[in-house]
Each structure stands twice: as structure tokens, then as C-alpha cells.
Amino acid sequence: MSSPMHVRKAIHFASLRAKLMQGKGGLALRLLLAAALAAFLLVFAARTLSSPSPSLSSRQQQQQQAGAECGADGKKVPAAVAEALVHYATSNTTPQQTADEIGVSLRVLQRRAPCNFLVFGLGFDSPMWAALNHGGRTVFLEEDASWIASVRAAHPALESYHVAYDTVLTEADALLALRDHPACVAQPDLAAAAEASCRLALRGLPPVFHELEWDLIMVDAPTGWTPQSPGRMAAIYTAGMAARARRPGAGATTDVFVHDVNRPVEDAFSKAFLCESYLAEQVGRIRHFAIPSHREKDGTPFCP
């Protein structure tokens, strides 16, 4: 497995480019990016050269045994990292989040990766999230089937699934009132909530959603800026329920991130269903909640 330091350096330079894209001067940007990538390669080479060198005869024997094949020592840039570097270096698209907002999730990923990372939304930042979680499993849930096909064509290694929403943004006030409905908050069980007709409980999720314990969940979808768009009400609720329902034990806490909390729905629903008592950090438009398993102790209140 590649060194975590290599991964962090690679992602640092991809993030650097995301900052620079917001500046002016395309030529200067590309020159700076080229310098950054060159610096990464120099660091990689320096680390390699600083390693103790075997004697010439020993090295010759190793080359003969390995067939002197390029890359025989296994020291390669991870595929997800390499793809992300090439993607952001050769396109004009940048992640939807700012560098400071990305930093909130990055700090958690540096501590917990490789892990199980669930992302509501498939966007321009998806290769970055997959690269940051190198060695783990990153799954994307997307509302637009045609967009999934388009992204898969460009990034076939990304794992994504289509999810249908039956809510609309204009229902937000009525759905927020379900915070006090027993069907939605009585127990940490999404399936039970769905059977009890809690309208916020997402149905038809792919099997992988129920098969894995999620360490990180990012809510950056579905769309929520027009009256008839689905809104993120159900996604936020479902993320919180997945966190509460995970098996108890050491490390049974799920880090949940909600983007665009400057908007009324994301603001109100994240506070109501992820709970202000679980709020760990807010930077710009992103909030980070650390939600423990509610199966650890029977009778744990929905929001302590």
C-alpha cells in the first residue's frame, strides 16, 4: 500500500489547484500547478534515494530475480490518486466546496482512512473523495441516472448508485415537523421508520447501504435550489439514522458532513435531525457532526 504521506501530498497539490482555479491568469495557474507536481515528484524521488542502498552485487541479484521490471518494488502512486491528479490538472472543473470546507473532511479522513465513506451526490469532487479515502470504500448515491452514466464514462472506477427521492422542497416545513413524530425518532432503525411510514426514511437504497457500517457520510445532494427539486431533507435524516444504527463497540461513531448549511433547509434539518449536541465543527457552508451509535445504550434520546 502506498504511504499515507504520499497520498496527503498528492491530494494537497490537487487541493492547491482547486484554490488557484479561483484566481486569474490561466497561464500562471498552469505554471504553478506544473511546479507543484514537479515538487511532488522531487519529494518522491528524494525519499527513494534516501533509503539505504544495497551493495552493487546485491542490487544486481535483486534485478535479476525481479527481471529488472519497472515498478517491481511496488512503489507506485495509488490509482485513485493518480486519476485525481490527472483529472484536476487537465480540466477546468473544480470541487464544489472551498479549500477550507474540504479541509474539515480531510482532517477526519487523515485520521480514519481507509474507511467506509458514503457520499450523497456525484459531482466534480468525486475523484477527490475517492482518492482521499485510498484503500477504503467510497460509495456515491446520485439522483440523476443520466449524470451517473456520464461520470462513469469518465471515471469508471467510481462506485455509484441511483437513488430516487419522493420529496419536494416545498414540503420542507411539513417534513421538519416530523422531528417530533414517534415513527421517525422512536428507535435507531431506518427500516422500522420506513415501515412506520416516516416520509423522511429513504427507500430503495442499494444493498451496499445496509451491508456496511459507515464511518463517514457526506450530504452534498440531492438538488435543493428550486421549489420542485427533491431537497436534502430525506438525505440528512437518513444519514443521521445510519449513524445511530451502526453496531456498538470501539470507534462506533460516524462523522456526518452537511454542505450548503447557509440555505434554510440544510440549516434547519441538520440541526433538528443530526442534533446540535453532536455538532463538532462548522467552517463556511459545511457542518461536521460526530454521531455515536444509539445501540450502545437502550433508551438513548434522539438528541441528547
Side-chain angles (χ1 to χ4, degrees):
M1 180 180 292
S2 207
S3 167
M5 181 65 70
H6 293 167
V7 175
R8 288 197 296 272
K9 288 181 181 295
I11 296 307
H12 172 74
F13 295 128
S15 178
L16 173 63
R17 183 184 183 278
K19 288 183 180 179
L20 294 174
M21 287 299 296
Q22 299 172 4
K24 51 187 178 179
L27 178 59
L29 169 63
R30 293 188 180 277
L31 289 173
L32 285 172
L33 180 60
L37 292 174
F40 171 76
L41 293 175
L42 285 173
V43 170
F44 188 84
R47 287 174 60 89
T48 302
L49 292 174
S50 65
S51 301
S53 299
S55 65
L56 181 61
S57 60
S58 175
R59 181 182 301 150
Q60 289 174 338
Q61 290 176 358
Q62 291 175 359
Q63 288 179 342
Q64 291 174 355
Q65 292 173 356
E69 294 182 0
C70 180
D73 59 1
K75 295 180 179 178
K76 301 177 182 178
V77 176
V81 177
E83 181 180 340
L85 282 170
V86 172
H87 171 68
Y88 294 116
T90 59
S91 71
N92 292 323
T93 59
T94 57
Q96 293 95 319
Q97 299 181 24
T98 67
D100 288 340
E101 291 167 351
I102 291 170
V104 175
S105 308
L106 174 59
R107 288 188 288 275
V108 177
L109 279 165
Q110 287 174 324
R111 173 169 51 87
R112 302 197 69 172
C115 61
N116 294 326
F117 187 10
L118 179 68
V119 183
F120 284 87
L122 185 65
F124 296 130
D125 52 4
S126 296
M128 176 190 69
W129 295 130
L132 285 170
N133 191 32
H134 168 65
R137 189 165 181 182
T138 306
V139 175
F140 301 92
L141 304 181
E142 170 60 38
E143 64 184 296
D144 187 339
S146 62
W147 177 244
I148 292 177
S150 177
V151 173
R152 280 178 178 169
H155 305 283
L158 296 180
E159 184 178 0
S160 57
Y161 301 92
H162 179 250
V163 173
Y165 295 86
D166 62 359
T167 58
V168 292
L169 198 61
T170 53
E171 299 176 306
D173 288 342
L175 293 172
L176 186 60
L178 295 177
R179 169 62 183 80
D180 299 319
H181 197 294
C184 297
V185 300
Q187 54 184 319
D189 189 329
L190 186 66
E195 290 176 4
S197 300
C198 176
R199 283 214 52 214
L200 287 169
L202 280 176
R203 298 161 177 78
L205 292 168
V208 66
F209 176 87
H210 304 283
E211 292 167 358
L212 297 182
E213 301 283 338
W214 298 105
D215 303 301
L216 278 77
I217 302 177
M218 173 73 70
V219 180
D220 207 359
T223 52
W225 57 81
T226 62
Q228 294 306 310
S229 60
R232 297 179 184 171
M233 300 84 71
I236 291 172
Y237 171 81
T238 298
M241 291 297 280
R244 292 177 176 89
R246 69 178 299 166
R247 286 190 296 269
T253 295
T254 301
D255 293 285
V256 181
F257 307 88
V258 179
H259 193 226
D260 295 319
V261 294
N262 57 307
R263 303 191 306 205
V265 165
E266 285 79 353
D267 176 41
F269 276 75
S270 64
K271 289 178 179 177
F273 292 99
L274 302 182
C275 306
E276 292 185 77
S277 58
Y278 291 144
L279 179 61
E281 183 180 11
Q282 178 173 341
V283 174
R285 300 167 296 158
I286 196 163
R287 281 186 190 142
H288 168 208
F289 298 83
I291 303 177
S293 168
H294 279 209
R295 296 189 184 278
E296 193 81 48
K297 182 180 179 181
D298 291 339
T300 302
F302 191 81
C303 282

